[in-house]
Amino acid sequence: PGRLLAPLDLGAYAIGATRLQVVGAPYHRNNVGNLAVYRFFLGQPDQGVTVAKTWQLRYVALRADDFGGAAAGTLAEALKRGAPPPWLRRIPTRERALFLYRVQGGLFPKQPAR
């Protein structure tokens, strides 16, 4: 269980194939979540960490052909070339064209004890 941020069309598959919550999927009424996906992947890594904190992400997924025209310096480009920021750790998959990352613990503030 946890929350996944992935490109919109991949998010739709994750809803049906996993127990994960997704931030964005190709549904027109999820403007806030869908915009967060684009800001995450097409922004700088420091913008990505803000999105990760806001949405309390556990996982990030991206395929090799997603955001093909992403500019140098964007988080999508860094992830696809295997240079994630320190707050993301690659999870090996059998599918070579799928990049799966786990958001590192300690990124989010601890919840107060009850």
Side-chain angles (χ1 to χ4, degrees), residues 1-2 15 25 27 36 43 65 67 70 72-73 79 83-84 95 103-104 106 108:
I15 289 172
Y27 307 110
D65 61 348
F67 301 108
L79 295 177
E95 178 59 50
V103 177
Q104 291 303 290
F108 311 120

Side-chain angles (χ1 to χ4, degrees), residues 5-110:
L5 188 137
L8 301 183
D9 56 339
L10 187 57
Y13 289 103
I15 289 172
T18 72
R19 296 183 307 162
L20 298 171
Q21 298 173 352
V22 298
V23 173
Y27 307 110
H28 70 283
R29 291 192 174 126
N30 183 21
N31 295 333
V32 174
N34 292 349
L35 184 57
V37 169
Y38 287 108
R39 285 185 173 148
F40 182 86
F41 286 115
L42 298 179
Q44 302 293 315
D46 59 337
Q47 187 174 358
V49 77
T50 301
V51 172
K53 287 178 180 179
T54 300
W55 288 87
Q56 297 279 307
L57 299 181
R58 181 172 283 180
Y59 301 103
V60 172
L62 181 70
R63 292 170 303 207
D65 61 348
D66 289 324
F67 301 108
T74 62
L75 191 48
E77 183 268 335
L79 295 177
K80 289 196 293 185
R81 86 177 138 78
W87 48 272
L88 288 174
R89 293 282 183 258
R90 181 92 188 258
I91 300 171
T93 65
R94 286 183 271 156
E95 178 59 50
R96 294 175 50 120
L98 177 67
F99 302 93
L100 183 61
Y101 294 90
R102 180 175 175 86
V103 177
Q104 291 303 290
L107 185 61
F108 311 120
K110 299 242 186 262

